[in-house]
């Protein structure tokens, strides 16, 4: 791919995940070119930040531009400028360390999808092949929507991994109880607010759920169907959030005043979590 040119003149091939740093620079993956690009805030010039266009040459402890990437579907940058990325096909989370530009493994074993390692170092754990969402909170903890393990997993700053929601079984259950005993179906999005509450797009259950940091419980805050039913589709606007049918919610994000925004099949929707 083109390097060192204005971003508006650069041809892209399947741009996908995106994030930004505290200086306004943006970073996004190009899945079909097997790279991560950086676009400078100051002049709009794009450069290849990671990847060598060869997905067969993946590796760790290499400069970011010397390692291969394979389907980077999620990006997150911490306050120190370290860039975390999730490689879907390889079932790994890796980080590009800002100070050195070197790639390190954070979680998963390359090319081996599965579930193991809770309670131990994340570098020894397995994650699902189809994990699709990575998010970090304000103090550096990572959260993974481990989609086909039907779990939300957390990685601390010390790289200890655990499950905060889900049992590993596909279903809809557990509202108002412990999130670790609840069941989910196809988690596609996760966002964590300043109080460390986690908001989850439980996509195949067609609902938005919230895990409360204070007591570890989970409940549905958006989507019809009550505590166990599943009602997918569209039934209008300006409805109470728990009466609104949702069409397989995907990505999710919230602001500081209690509004959340999320994507469904053909819409971007907004809901106030202060008035469910």
């Amino acid at each position: 791919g083109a390097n060192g040119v204005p971003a508006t003149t650069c041809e892209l091939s399947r741009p996908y995940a995106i994030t930004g740093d505290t200086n306004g620079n943006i970073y996004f993956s190009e899945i079909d070119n097997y790279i991560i690009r950086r676009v400078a805030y100051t002049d709009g010039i794009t450069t290849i930040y990671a990847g060598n266009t060869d997905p067969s040459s993946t590796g760790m402890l290499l400069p970011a531009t010397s390692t291969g990437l394979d389907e980077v579907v999620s990006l997150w940058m911490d306050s120190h400028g370290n860039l975390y990325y999730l490689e879907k096909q390889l079932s790994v989370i890796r980080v590009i360390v800002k100070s050195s530009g070197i790639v390190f493994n954070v979680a998963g074993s390359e090319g081996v999808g599965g579930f193991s390692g809770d309670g131990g170092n994340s570098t020894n754990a397995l994650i699902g092949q189809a994990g699709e969402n990575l998010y970090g909170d304000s103090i550096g903890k990572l959260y993974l929507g481990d989609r086909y393990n039907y779990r939300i997993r957390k990685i601390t700053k010390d790289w200890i991994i655990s499950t905060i929601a889900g049992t590993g079984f596909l279903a809809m259950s557990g509202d108002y109880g412990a999130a670790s005993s609840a069941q989910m179906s196809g988690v596609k999005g996760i966002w964590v607010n300043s109080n460390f509450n986690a908001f989850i797009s439980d996509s195949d259950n067609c609902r938005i759920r919230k895990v409360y940091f204070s007591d570890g419980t989970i409940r549905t805050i958006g989507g019809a169907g009550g505590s166990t039913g599943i009602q997918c589709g569209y039934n209008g606007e300006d409805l109470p959030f728990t009466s609104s049918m949702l069409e397989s919610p995907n990505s999710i994000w919230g602001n500081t005043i209690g509004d959340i925004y999320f994507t469904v099949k053909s819409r971007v929707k907004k809901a106030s979590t202060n008035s469910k």
Side-chain angles (χ1 to χ4, degrees), residues 7-31:
T8 53
T9 68
C10 185
E11 293 187 5
L12 306 179
S13 183
R14 203 178 165 199
Y16 201 88
I18 190 166
T19 192
D21 63 24
T22 56
N23 295 316
N25 306 303
I26 64 170
Y27 304 77
F28 64 90
S29 63
E30 275 191 80
I31 286 182

Side-chain angles (χ1 to χ4, degrees), residues 214-256:
S214 58
D215 60 7
T217 60
I218 189 171
R219 70 183 64 175
T220 294
I221 62 168
S227 60
T228 57
I230 300 172
Q231 294 183 14
C232 304
Y234 176 75
N235 62 343
E237 303 293 332
D238 300 318
L239 299 170
F241 199 12
T242 50
S243 299
S244 180
M245 294 171 63
L246 305 179
E247 302 169 283
S248 301
N250 291 292
S251 296
I252 186 169
W253 177 84
N255 61 25
T256 58

Side-chain angles (χ1 to χ4, degrees), residues 168-212:
F169 293 96
L170 165 66
M172 170 57 216
S173 72
D175 273 1
Y176 299 95
S180 57
S181 299
Q183 293 176 315
M184 298 180 291
S185 179
V187 173
K188 286 191 176 180
I190 183 169
W191 173 73
V192 180
N193 69 9
S194 59
N195 294 321
F196 308 113
N197 300 314
F199 295 76
I200 301 164
S201 291
D202 195 351
S203 184
D204 294 343
N205 282 328
C206 296
R207 59 184 65 218
I208 303 294
R209 303 174 81 182
K210 180 178 179 180
V211 177
Y212 292 81

Side-chain angles (χ1 to χ4, degrees), residues 24-200:
N25 306 303
I26 64 170
Y27 304 77
F28 64 90
S29 63
E30 275 191 80
I31 286 182
D32 290 345
N33 279 333
Y34 311 106
I35 58 176
I36 296 171
R37 288 189 177 275
R38 176 184 183 270
V39 179
Y41 173 76
T42 52
D43 57 12
I45 297 297
T46 182
T47 52
I48 296 173
Y49 193 76
N52 62 7
T53 73
D54 180 4
S56 67
S57 63
T58 59
M60 296 176 292
L61 306 179
L62 295 171
T65 52
S66 297
T67 191
L69 304 176
D70 194 353
E71 200 166 354
V72 173
V73 295
S74 193
L75 295 169
W76 178 70
M77 182 167 283
D78 69 17
S79 60
H80 302 291
N82 303 309
L83 181 63
Y84 293 79
Y85 60 92
L86 173 62
E87 291 185 87
K88 180 177 179 178
Q89 294 300 324
L90 296 181
S91 303
V92 292
I93 300 169
R94 289 180 169 153
V95 61
I96 303 168
V97 176
K98 172 69 172 179
S99 59
S100 64
I102 300 298
V103 174
F104 292 87
N105 199 52
V106 176
S109 178
E110 185 171 310
V112 183
F115 173 78
S116 71
D118 271 6
N121 192 288
S122 61
T123 58
N124 298 321
L126 293 180
I127 63 176
Q129 191 226 21
E132 289 194 1
N133 197 271
L134 191 65
Y135 190 82
D137 66 21
S138 59
I139 59 174
K141 296 192 297 292
L142 288 173
Y143 299 81
L144 169 67
D146 204 348
R147 184 180 180 188
Y148 290 128
N149 278 325
Y150 310 113
R151 302 170 186 264
I152 300 294
R153 302 176 79 182
K154 178 178 73 175
I155 301 173
T156 68
K157 291 188 294 183
D158 298 324
W159 289 11
I160 301 300
I161 191 169
S162 61
T163 294
I164 66 167
T167 64
F169 293 96
L170 165 66
M172 170 57 216
S173 72
D175 273 1
Y176 299 95
S180 57
S181 299
Q183 293 176 315
M184 298 180 291
S185 179
V187 173
K188 286 191 176 180
I190 183 169
W191 173 73
V192 180
N193 69 9
S194 59
N195 294 321
F196 308 113
N197 300 314
F199 295 76
I200 301 164

